[in-house]
Amino acid sequence: MSEKLTKRQQDALETKKKIVNATKKLLSQKGFEKISINEITKEAKVSTGSFYTYFKKKEDVISELNKLDFYILAQTVIQMKEKTIIERLEYYCENFLLAIERAGIEICRQWTRNNIKPLPMPEEPQFTKYQYDNKALYSVLADAVRHGELSEYFPIEDFTVQINAQLYGLMTIWCMSDSQVIGSGRIKKYISNFLTPALTTYLKK
């Protein structure tokens, strides 16, 4: 049984959540470069000291915003034993992009800037965001090989890089087109027209 949080711990989590939510709101309104720590704390209704209790600089809040639901996406997909590997990959790719789109375009743009100069992940500082995403998708494909859905000769690393390149490409185009090109609405065609034919060679009967 997990240990119950104390009142102090609960208050600390709530304060941190207020700062993150305030930053997210201001990002959507003004963009990252135009907001200050003072504006964040004012919006969050917390002291500047409280901000520095949890973050050294405003860029650190972006790393916290990286804690989206796609962190558990790979494990969720692996548990979908009733679905084929192609169906699982479609679910993974679509929900990866939906998680980013729900966060908002300004946050996505800042993620892109951050990941050009990679930042360590909050939960696993030995990984950057890109390395973390590669590790997650690799685990989905490796599980399909381990359970005999894909051939033991399936090039897991090559497919991992190519699929993530498509996801990051659609994410970047979404930003560059000012959300006119919506990646989550286009990923099914990529799965059916490109990924499925490529995987067919390696599918076990």
Side-chain angles (χ1 to χ4, degrees):
M1 183 179 292
S2 60
E3 187 177 342
K4 187 176 180 180
L5 294 177
T6 65
K7 177 66 164 55
R8 184 175 181 179
Q9 289 171 323
Q10 290 173 342
D11 289 344
L13 286 174
E14 185 60 30
T15 299
K16 190 175 184 181
K17 183 178 178 181
K18 286 178 181 179
I19 294 169
V20 170
N21 287 339
T23 305
K24 184 175 180 180
K25 179 179 178 180
L26 290 169
L27 275 169
S28 67
Q29 295 173 347
K30 304 174 68 172
F32 184 79
E33 301 300 332
K34 294 182 179 179
I35 62 174
S36 67
I37 290 173
N38 284 339
E39 287 177 294
I40 292 170
T41 55
K42 183 178 179 180
E43 178 67 32
K45 296 181 173 60
V46 301
S47 69
T48 304
S50 292
F51 181 95
Y52 288 111
T53 298
Y54 303 103
F55 306 104
K56 292 181 180 179
K57 54 189 181 299
K58 65 179 184 178
E59 285 82 0
D60 292 341
V61 190
I62 300 300
S63 294
E64 189 70 21
L65 282 165
N66 269 329
K67 293 180 179 179
L68 290 173
D69 48 1
F70 48 68
Y71 284 161
I72 61 170
L73 185 55
Q75 288 304 311
T76 300
V77 169
I78 286 172
Q79 297 304 315
M80 294 177 169
K81 300 303 184 185
E82 76 285 359
K83 294 184 180 294
T84 67
I85 181 58
I86 292 172
E87 290 171 335
R88 297 201 301 277
L89 286 171
E90 182 177 307
Y91 182 94
Y92 179 93
C93 292
E94 186 174 17
N95 282 276
F96 180 99
L97 291 167
L98 282 170
I100 291 167
E101 290 160 10
R102 282 194 296 266
I105 197 165
E106 290 301 330
I107 292 174
C108 183
R109 284 169 174 157
Q110 189 57 39
W111 283 343
T112 304
R113 295 185 189 102
N114 284 355
N115 285 300
I116 290 172
K117 182 179 180 181
L119 296 174
M121 295 298 291
E123 292 89 348
E124 298 189 64
Q126 71 271 32
F127 296 111
T128 64
K129 177 69 167 68
Y130 176 74
Q131 290 169 332
Y132 189 98
D133 290 343
N134 260 27
K135 176 173 173 276
L137 182 56
Y138 188 101
S139 70
V140 173
L141 295 172
D143 181 75
V145 172
R146 188 164 52 250
H147 288 89
E149 290 178 90
L150 293 170
S151 164
E152 62 270 26
Y153 303 109
F154 178 71
I156 301 175
E157 185 174 352
D158 290 341
F159 271 77
T160 297
V161 170
Q162 290 303 317
I163 296 169
N164 271 328
Q166 181 69 19
L167 293 174
Y168 272 83
L170 286 170
M171 180 183 78
T172 303
I173 292 169
W174 181 63
C175 290
M176 293 174 66
S177 69
D178 205 20
S179 75
Q180 294 302 304
V181 177
I182 302 173
S184 62
R186 292 176 178 255
I187 196 65
K188 288 182 186 293
K189 288 186 178 180
Y190 164 72
I191 298 290
S192 61
N193 295 339
F194 299 99
L195 186 56
T196 298
L199 281 172
T200 298
T201 304
Y202 300 97
L203 289 174
K204 285 194 172 181
K205 303 296 184 182

